[in-house]
Amino acid sequence: MFQAKPLTFQLESSHIAFAASYLQGIAFDYYTVLLQFDPNSPVLSNWQVFAQEFSEAYKIGWNYNTLQFALRCALPQHIKDVLHLAPKQSSYDGYKALITQIDQQYSKDRSKYSAP
C-alpha cells in the first residue's frame, strides 16, 4: 500500500496514521491515549515500533501497555488516585500486586475510620 502511493506515504507517521484509522476497540483507545498523553512516543513516529506494538497486541490479545490501560480504566477512583503517585511497574504481575496492596490498605483505613 505504502509503495503504491509513495508521495502520500512519504513519512512513517503517515503510515502510522493510515494503519491507526483501522484500529478498533481497546487498540484504538490505546492509540488515542498515546496521542493525548505521550505524543513523543516512538510508537507514533516509527513504523516498525508501531507495527510491533500493535501486532503483539493482536497476536496474543493484549500486550502489557494495552492490558495496563484497560485495567486502569476499570479501577475504582480511590485506587487511581494513589496509582499516579506510585512507581511505574514494568510487569503485569507487579502492577496487579501494587493495585492489590493499594486496595487492601484502603480497606484497612476505611474500616479503621468507620468503626464505631
Side-chain angles (χ1 to χ4, degrees):
M1 175 67 188
F2 302 135
Q3 294 165 343
K5 295 190 174 200
L7 294 176
T8 304
F9 298 107
Q10 286 180 349
L11 302 174
E12 289 190 38
S13 59
S14 39
H15 297 191
I16 293 165
F18 176 78
S21 70
Y22 288 93
L23 295 175
Q24 297 178 6
I26 194 71
F28 179 76
D29 293 342
Y30 174 54
Y31 176 75
T32 57
V33 166
L34 283 174
L35 285 173
Q36 291 176 338
F37 298 105
D38 194 7
N40 296 320
S41 170
V43 173
L44 300 175
S45 60
N46 183 305
W47 171 248
Q48 294 297 328
V49 174
F50 174 88
Q52 180 179 357
E53 182 84 6
F54 283 91
S55 67
E56 284 178 17
Y58 282 111
K59 184 174 24 175
I60 60 171
W62 300 88
N63 66 14
Y64 175 65
N65 290 326
T66 54
L67 183 60
Q68 182 184 32
F69 172 75
L71 181 56
R72 185 179 285 259
C73 289
L75 292 172
Q77 191 61 46
H78 70 271
I79 294 177
K80 291 178 189 178
D81 292 343
V82 177
L83 264 180
H84 79 276
L85 301 171
K88 187 173 180 172
Q89 301 298 305
S90 60
S91 71
Y92 174 72
D93 288 336
Y95 194 63
K96 188 172 71 170
L98 177 61
I99 290 168
T100 302
Q101 182 181 7
I102 292 168
D103 193 45
Q104 287 173 346
Q105 186 62 47
Y106 175 82
S107 294
K108 271 190 217 175
D109 291 347
R110 191 168 168 213
S111 65
K112 182 171 131 181
Y113 293 112
S114 64

